[in-house]
């Protein structure tokens, strides 16, 4: 891999080193510390991803129109607003700061993916996306470990969130040093093609299963009453995802069927296991399977999008992919929040069914 691939991937590593821990702490901060109902947490996560869908579309459009690098660096720098989530200590301002940081993350994602596609050729592109995902999620594993250690040491939520700030600064500096994405398109970007749109729809349906891992965290917390074990399960999910993403990136014969079966269908099984619940071992197995599916999906989706769209449309196409996932997460987090309040099984059965439909769309539309 060339130097620019490593810069982009290390930027992702440090970004996740910051915000994955912030994500893991959010349900505990809002529900356990600020005493908000679980359904309110679901609404906040829905706004998180619903706004993120719009920001993904805007970011992809802006990347093709005004330059990928400037859009990526601007969005990445504003993710640091998350660091002040707990400092606000408010049921209103805390979610707003988190939302602003997450929306900025979605704004920069299409541009960053397009930059990665730009600095690679077809033969090495899937491997590059596998490395990006592995380091991205590897940062998340480190972030969860840091947060768990801080909680065990007795640090407050405020201190834990503020510690993420240097990671965001480092991430932005690395992204700013990348030699790619300088060219400005100027022309009005065109709408993505049918196959890209279909894949974005499948990604939206997969979002119903991907949901926010905050719900499995809450499921495990309700079963064990241990915030450390709950966050550790998130770490397991991330670790499996990182390893699988790297393996898929280096594998030679992966494509549409791998995405459908090893990605979406496995996610359906994981959701079903979360719904059945019971022993801690079953919850951990579900977390590992969900991590496996994410590793496959996060590597293959952007690789396939780059393969079925023109280079000058990569920003808009990646934006459609980001928006599709975020839209699915928007709908799913509202549904999961209310269904979870009625019964955990209903929430996870909903996710199970949606993931199977996503697999069917890939096999019947995108793969043709």
């Amino acid at each position: 891999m060339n130097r620019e691939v490593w810069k982009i991937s290390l930027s992702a590593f440090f970004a996740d080193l910051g915000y994955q821990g912030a994500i893991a702490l959010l349900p505990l901060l809002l529900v356990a510390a600020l005493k908000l109902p679980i359904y309110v947490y679901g609404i906040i996560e829905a706004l998180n991803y619903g706004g993120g869908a719009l920001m993904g579309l805007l970011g992809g459009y802006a990347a093709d129109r005004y330059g990928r690098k400037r859009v990526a660096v601007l969005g990445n720098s504003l993710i640091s607003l998350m660091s002040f989530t707990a400092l606000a200590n408010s049921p209103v301002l805390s979610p707003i700061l988190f939302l602003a940081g997450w929306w900025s993350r979605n704004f920069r994602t299409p541009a960053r993916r397009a930059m990665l596609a730009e600095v690679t050729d077809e033969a090495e592109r899937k491997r590059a996306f596998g490395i990006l995902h592995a380091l991205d999620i590897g940062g998340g594993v480190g972030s969860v470990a840091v947060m768990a250690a801080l909680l065990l040491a007795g640090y407050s939520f405020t201190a834990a969130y503020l510690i993420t700030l240097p990671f965001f600064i480092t991430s932005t500096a690395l992204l700013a040093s990348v030699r790619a994405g300088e060219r400005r398109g100027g022309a009005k970007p065109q709408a993505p093609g049918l196959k890209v749109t279909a894949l974005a729809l499948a990604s939206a349906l997969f979002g119903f299963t991907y949901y926010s891992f905050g719900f499995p965290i809450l499921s495990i917390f309700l079963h064990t009453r241990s915030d450390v074990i709950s966050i550790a399960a998130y770490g397991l999910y991330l670790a499996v995802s990182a390893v699988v993403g790297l393996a898929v990136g280096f594998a030679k014969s992966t494509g549409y069927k791998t995405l459908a079966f090893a990605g979406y269908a496995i996610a359906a099984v994981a959701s079903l296991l979360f719904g059945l619940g019971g022993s801690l071992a079953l919850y951990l197995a579900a977390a590992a399977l969900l991590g496996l599916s994410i590793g496959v999906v996060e590597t293959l989706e952007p690789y396939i999008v780059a393969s079925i769209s023109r280079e000058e449309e990569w920003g808009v196409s990646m934006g459609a992919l980001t928006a599709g996932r975020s839209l699915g997460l928007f709908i799913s987090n509202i549904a999961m929040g209310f269904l979870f309040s009625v019964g955990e099984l209903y929430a996870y059965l909903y996710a199970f069914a949606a993931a199977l439909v996503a697999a069917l769309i890939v096999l019947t539309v995108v793969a043709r």
Side-chain angles (χ1 to χ4, degrees):
M1 290 292 100
N2 63 61
R3 182 178 299 179
E4 307 312 311
V5 169
W6 288 109
K7 287 179 183 177
I8 295 171
S9 299
L10 284 170
S11 172
F13 171 83
F14 280 102
D16 270 57
L17 192 57
Y19 71 69
Q20 288 290 0
I23 291 171
L25 288 184
L26 187 65
L28 301 178
L29 172 68
L30 298 181
V31 176
L34 296 178
K35 308 300 182 184
L36 293 175
I38 291 178
Y39 73 86
V40 172
Y41 166 70
I43 292 173
I44 290 170
E45 286 285 49
L47 291 172
N48 204 15
Y49 294 110
L54 177 60
M55 296 305 292
L57 284 175
L58 290 175
Y61 177 90
D64 284 346
R65 185 70 184 271
Y66 304 110
R68 296 164 185 168
K69 184 174 180 178
R70 65 177 61 189
V71 169
V73 172
L74 174 62
N76 206 83
S77 65
L78 292 175
I79 301 173
S80 58
L81 291 170
M82 284 186 188
S83 300
F84 306 100
T85 298
L87 184 64
N89 194 34
S90 163
V92 176
L93 187 55
S94 291
I96 287 175
L97 287 167
F98 191 90
L99 287 172
W102 186 261
W103 289 347
S104 299
R105 175 240 184 219
N106 276 32
F107 182 75
R108 70 92 164 96
T109 294
R112 191 183 70 182
R113 283 175 166 174
M115 287 170 66
L116 187 67
E118 180 183 326
V119 300
T120 56
D121 57 34
E122 180 67 24
E124 65 181 359
R125 192 163 292 141
K126 180 160 63 74
R127 186 168 47 185
F129 277 112
I131 290 172
L132 173 66
H133 179 71
L135 284 177
D136 192 18
I137 299 303
V141 174
S143 184
V144 171
V146 168
M147 292 302 171
L150 290 173
L151 290 178
L152 282 173
Y155 283 87
S156 66
F157 286 134
T158 300
Y161 270 92
L162 286 175
I163 283 173
T164 64
L165 186 58
F167 303 141
F168 293 134
I169 294 172
T170 303
S171 171
T172 302
L174 282 166
L175 198 55
S177 71
V178 176
R179 294 181 179 179
E182 300 283 2
R183 187 178 59 202
R184 295 174 59 179
K188 184 178 180 180
Q190 300 298 311
L194 175 62
K195 286 191 174 184
V196 172
T197 302
L199 185 57
L201 175 60
S203 188
L205 290 167
F206 177 65
F208 292 174
T209 295
Y210 187 37
Y211 35 79
S212 164
F213 201 83
F215 290 107
I217 287 175
L218 289 172
S219 291
I220 297 170
F221 178 76
L222 292 172
H223 176 75
T224 65
R225 294 296 170 182
S226 170
D227 50 6
V228 174
I229 291 177
S230 303
I231 292 178
Y234 187 44
L236 172 64
Y237 153 82
L238 293 174
V240 172
S241 179
V243 172
V244 170
L246 194 61
V248 170
F250 279 82
K252 292 183 179 180
S253 58
T254 53
Y256 300 111
K257 289 184 179 179
T258 304
L259 177 62
F261 291 112
Y264 299 149
I266 289 294
V269 174
S271 289
L272 186 60
L273 291 178
F274 273 122
L276 295 174
S279 68
L280 178 59
L282 190 62
Y283 280 125
L284 294 178
L289 282 176
L290 192 59
L292 186 156
S293 72
I294 298 300
V296 172
V297 170
E298 286 292 310
T299 301
L300 291 183
E301 278 186 349
Y303 165 70
I304 291 173
V305 164
S307 300
I308 60 179
S309 58
R310 296 185 302 169
E311 181 176 354
E312 58 269 26
E313 298 171 353
W314 279 343
V316 167
S317 297
M318 295 297 181
L321 182 64
T322 300
R325 175 69 54 75
S326 296
L327 182 61
L329 288 165
F330 165 69
I331 296 171
S332 71
N333 277 286
I334 291 178
M336 290 287 287
F338 283 101
L339 289 173
F340 199 98
S341 299
V342 176
E344 291 181 54
L345 180 59
Y346 299 111
Y348 292 117
L349 282 176
Y350 161 79
F352 166 79
L356 290 182
V357 175
L360 287 174
I361 289 176
V362 170
L363 292 173
T364 59
V365 180
V366 182
R368 288 188 174 182

